[in-house]
Amino acid sequence: MFVVTSNQMYQAECNAVKRGISFPQLMENAGQACAKIIKNQFKISRENPKKILIICGKGKNGGDGFVIARKMWEYGCNVTVMLACGEPKAKDAIDMFSLVETAGIDIVRYDNNLYLLKPLIDGADIIVEAVFGTGFSGKLSDSLSALAQTVNFSKAPLVSIDVPAGVDCDSASAQGTVFKADMTIAVSAYKPVHIMKPCCSYCGKTVVADIGITDGDFGNLDSVACFTLGAGDIKKMLPKRKPVSNKGTYGHALCVCGSVRMPGAACLAVGGALRSGAGLVTAAFPQSAYPAIASKLTEPLLLPLETNFEGTFAFSATGDILRAAERASSVLIGCGMGFNKDTTRIVTNLVKELKIPMIIDADGINALSTNIDVLKEAQAPVIITPHPGEMSRICGKSVAEIVTNPISVAYEFAAEYGVTVVLKTANTVVCGGKPARIYVNSTGNAGLARGGSGDLLAGMTVSLVAQGMPAFDAAVCSVFLHGMSADEVAGKTSMRGMLPSDVLNNLPELFSKFE
């Protein structure tokens, strides 16, 4: 499903118009589709009519609301239209409003008179909000804020059309009072506000209304449109287990991870690789960390290597890693490996020399920060999995800027260095591929804000790559599944108390849903 900005949505509409659909027809389609969703959601019929209040703005979103009012009236409902901002101004909206007037549907004007209109709000079975849609920025006026507060306190479920009024569609931010929807009907496609945390919570349940705009209309935009996926999409992408197969069928993942101070990072990464289906996994780690790591790992091959005085890989281990990589299908570099001269030199050499896909995480990314241009010398696909702090070190932007603009930051870096970027924020973003693609993840929760979560994700990713998935697809699937497993764990226990090992241990049950 596409996730588009307000400008991209308008471009897609223009593309549809070029195909022969008029703007008035798109508005009619939008209103009819939204009305049908509301009818089905609330089981409306002539035998079960509802009292519906539809709050309309003066632009095109209000025009959608006028169509909804007419359709709900045709379904037998008792409909009242409230003009929140005065008479409609957009031509198509004016035309739709005239049809509401002709039908004899009750119309009231807000005029900041809550005392008189509060009984109407409190008496509604359903309230539909169609005030601004995608065109809003800033904050609601005092008058509309008061209306929003009254609506929010009413017992009636609130349905917002496209975007809840008071929320900026593209930045997914809110500066003041917001109409807090129980359900939002996204017209034609998701917008950033429907996906991006925390403002997606204002949308409630989000449902997409098909209004006749095609994938081709979205595919022919001036800029790359984001997309998001559901469990059904991920199931289609995952490699299938073959009835006749062996361990060699599912690839060999090499995990170059761990140190004396961070043995758990290696264990979580290797565990993620094993639990995600790789046929063979080799754990390469410093010899000095052997007691801590080997005691927790029984399934993988173990490759203890030379250690320096800090308890991390010695640079002299580079040759052994390269030889191990000759037998592997993919390599994970960095989880808990430490950041010093030796590990920096190892990472630099591996990026230059490896001829199989590599996933670079944690201290591997910190090592890259000393010579980021080495990525341009890579001979094989590279996936990097930074959190905002690590991203800041390799791109030179502040953490605040990265958190505010994760999509653009990840996209620009991926394009410049030819890698797949998995930027781990509240909504993890995956950018990369040719042609360029941008995936925005919708799974996961605050329970993942804990050391070790990224190590598990990196291990899952190297496993899917080892099984033959393209880098971008493997990153998307692992991010979705990692978040979904965390959501399941949080539902059983809590976000506060969950550990990355809980998410790891839930993976077998999770994968049963995808086989």
Side-chain angles (χ1 to χ4, degrees):
M1 176 60 68
F2 287 104
V3 182
V4 297
T5 64
S6 55
N7 183 59
Q8 287 174 330
M9 187 69 243
Y10 177 69
Q11 286 185 39
E13 291 172 349
C14 291
N15 290 338
V17 169
K18 291 176 183 177
R19 288 191 293 105
I21 302 177
S22 67
F23 280 112
Q25 186 61 56
L26 286 174
M27 183 175 288
E28 180 72 22
N29 291 354
Q32 288 191 19
C34 291
K36 186 174 182 180
I37 290 170
I38 295 168
K39 176 178 180 287
N40 293 338
Q41 175 70 25
F42 297 100
K43 297 178 173 59
I44 294 170
S45 66
R46 291 196 172 274
E47 294 73 32
N48 183 35
K50 301 289 184 181
K51 292 177 65 176
I52 301 180
L53 172 63
I54 302 179
I55 305 172
C56 297
K58 59 185 179 181
K60 292 187 175 183
N61 193 241
D64 295 340
F66 298 140
V67 178
I68 295 168
R70 193 176 77 248
K71 296 303 297 183
M72 300 314 298
W73 175 76
E74 291 174 2
Y75 293 148
C77 293
N78 182 351
V79 179
T80 300
V81 170
M82 179 188 293
L83 300 180
C85 308
E87 299 287 326
K89 301 297 183 183
K91 182 183 182 306
D92 297 342
I94 292 171
D95 294 340
M96 299 304 176
F97 180 60
S98 68
L99 295 177
V100 170
E101 290 181 304
T102 301
I105 296 170
D106 289 341
I107 299 169
V108 298
R109 286 158 177 77
Y110 171 44
D111 294 334
N112 200 25
N113 196 340
L114 279 175
Y115 178 77
L116 292 178
L117 295 176
K118 191 173 185 300
L120 178 64
I121 295 171
D122 292 340
D125 295 321
I126 304 165
I127 299 175
V128 178
E129 177 269 308
V131 178
F132 291 117
T134 61
F136 179 82
S137 62
K139 63 180 181 178
L140 295 178
S141 65
D142 291 343
S143 175
L144 287 177
S145 292
L147 177 59
Q149 290 171 0
T150 302
V151 169
N152 291 342
F153 277 113
S154 73
K155 295 180 180 179
L158 174 62
V159 179
S160 284
I161 305 305
D162 220 6
V163 177
V167 181
D168 186 301
C169 164
D170 294 347
S171 66
S173 62
Q175 298 182 26
T177 306
V178 172
F179 283 84
K180 297 178 181 178
D182 297 289
M183 180 172 76
T184 296
I185 303 176
V187 177
S188 195
Y190 286 121
K191 316 304 184 299
V193 67
H194 302 135
I195 302 296
M196 305 299 285
K197 300 170 184 176
C199 278
C200 63
S201 62
Y202 292 134
C203 298
K205 174 185 178 182
T206 301
V207 180
V208 178
D210 182 1
I211 69 169
I213 296 178
T214 66
D215 287 355
D217 296 326
F218 285 114
N220 190 24
L221 302 176
D222 292 342
S223 54
V224 178
C226 303
F227 71 97
T228 192
L229 297 175
D233 303 305
I234 298 298
K235 184 174 182 177
K236 294 176 183 176
M237 295 171 66
L238 284 173
K240 303 297 185 289
R241 306 298 282 193
K242 301 175 182 178
V244 180
S245 57
N246 56 61
K247 61 188 177 184
T249 307
Y250 304 109
H252 184 171
L254 171 62
C255 299
V256 183
C257 304
S259 60
V260 167
R261 292 185 63 247
M262 292 177 281
C267 295
L268 285 166
V270 171
L274 290 165
R275 289 296 193 184
S276 297
L280 283 170
V281 179
T282 293
F285 52 86
Q287 173 69 53
S288 57
Y290 187 93
I293 293 176
S295 63
K296 293 184 178 180
L297 298 176
T298 55
E299 289 86 356
L301 301 169
L302 303 182
L303 182 61
L305 299 173
E306 292 183 63
T307 307
N308 65 12
F309 70 96
E310 293 186 33
T312 69
F313 290 99
F315 176 65
S316 55
T318 305
D320 292 324
I321 296 172
L322 287 171
R323 282 186 287 275
E326 292 175 359
R327 301 185 297 275
S329 312
S330 61
V331 179
L332 167 59
I333 308 164
C335 303
M337 74 183 301
F339 179 35
N340 53 45
K341 289 183 179 179
D342 279 354
T343 56
T344 297
R345 292 173 67 195
I346 289 172
V347 172
T348 299
N349 277 268
L350 293 180
V351 170
K352 290 180 179 179
E353 299 295 330
L354 288 174
K355 294 179 175 61
I356 56 175
M358 64 196 89
I359 291 79
I360 305 176
D361 183 52
D363 284 327
I365 296 172
N366 291 330
L368 290 177
S369 68
T370 65
N371 179 21
I372 193 61
D373 285 338
V374 73
L375 285 175
K376 297 178 180 179
E377 299 181 50
Q379 301 181 60
V382 175
I383 301 172
I384 62 169
T385 56
H387 58 56
E390 292 161 347
M391 192 72 205
S392 178
R393 294 178 202 122
I394 60 175
C395 76
K397 300 181 187 295
S398 69
V399 170
E401 185 177 358
I402 292 166
V403 172
T404 303
N405 305 287
I407 294 173
S408 62
V409 170
Y411 178 77
E412 290 170 6
F413 190 94
E416 181 174 358
Y417 291 98
V419 300
T420 296
V421 177
V422 178
L423 180 52
K424 299 176 290 192
T425 60
N427 289 89
T428 295
V429 175
V430 182
C431 296
K434 292 183 180 181
R437 290 179 287 171
I438 305 171
Y439 169 76
V440 182
N441 192 51
S442 61
T443 63
N445 59 72
L448 288 172
R450 194 182 300 271
S453 294
D455 304 316
L456 173 57
L457 173 62
M460 294 172 66
T461 307
V462 75
S463 180
L464 294 181
V465 174
Q467 293 168 66
M469 292 191 74
F472 183 88
D473 292 352
V476 167
C477 287
S478 58
V479 165
F480 181 94
L481 294 164
H482 180 253
M484 187 175 181
S485 185
D487 289 339
E488 289 187 355
V489 171
K492 298 172 185 176
T493 57
S494 66
M495 288 187 285
R496 186 183 301 275
M498 63 188 278
L499 297 174
S501 56
D502 298 325
V503 180
L504 168 62
N505 293 333
N506 185 66
L507 287 178
E509 182 179 344
L510 173 72
F511 277 116
S512 71
K513 301 175 176 65
F514 293 84
E515 292 185 350

